[in-house]
Amino acid sequence: MYEPGHLHRGNSLATSDTPTYAIDLHYEVRKDAVEGPMLHMTLKGDIAGTAFDESFELHRDTAFNFASVVSRLAHKHGLPTHVLLISHEHEEFDLMFEDIRQRLDAHSGDPVDLDHLEKDGL
């Protein structure tokens, strides 16, 4: 389920290769006095009965790598790698991408500062 600023994913029936999970991703743009607009994301939930809570920020020009960061964090907390929380194949990805682009006032072809890739762990 997606609404601007929030994505929820869940699986209430465990199988042999996929545990139960309920994961919420919330996001907003925050203004940093030094770095400028930053995409702030909070990923929290429960995977196979174990709760987690992670927050991170991405620079305006690297924010569109959010899906890889979210996937990496979810897998770190026990979500199997074959489960994709956010994929370009999901309609919600396109909606979320567009919402983030509007919030950041980002445009196709905007330059990327390579130092931001390193700072954001990408």
Side-chain angles (χ1 to χ4, degrees):
M1 175 201 83
Y2 170 76
E3 60 186 30
H6 176 231
L7 176 70
H8 174 79
R9 288 277 190 255
N11 176 40
S12 60
L13 184 61
T15 64
S16 61
D17 64 344
T18 305
T20 60
Y21 61 89
I23 300 173
D24 288 288
L25 173 64
H26 293 272
Y27 63 90
E28 65 184 349
V29 172
R30 295 183 177 175
K31 305 285 187 203
D32 183 280
V34 175
E35 300 292 339
M38 301 285 287
L39 179 65
H40 178 82
M41 300 190 116
T42 301
L43 185 68
K44 69 168 53 174
D46 179 282
I47 299 172
T50 303
F52 68 94
D53 187 346
E54 295 263 4
S55 293
F56 62 95
E57 288 189 326
L58 298 171
H59 287 83
R60 178 182 176 272
D61 55 343
T62 62
F64 300 104
N65 290 310
F66 67 88
S68 68
V69 177
V70 168
S71 294
R72 185 176 38 203
L73 290 173
H75 296 155
K76 173 182 131 181
H77 289 285
L79 193 68
T81 56
H82 71 273
V83 177
L84 299 175
L85 289 182
I86 305 173
S87 167
H88 67 278
E89 296 171 1
H90 295 139
E91 177 184 342
E92 293 146 329
F93 175 84
D94 292 335
L95 296 170
M96 192 174 182
F97 189 94
E98 185 57 33
D99 183 46
I100 291 170
R101 183 162 58 166
Q102 287 180 9
R103 289 175 187 232
L104 290 170
D105 191 29
H107 306 280
S108 180
D110 285 350
V112 174
D113 182 333
L114 297 180
D115 289 337
H116 290 169
L117 292 171
E118 185 175 343
K119 284 182 181 180
D120 294 348
L122 300 171

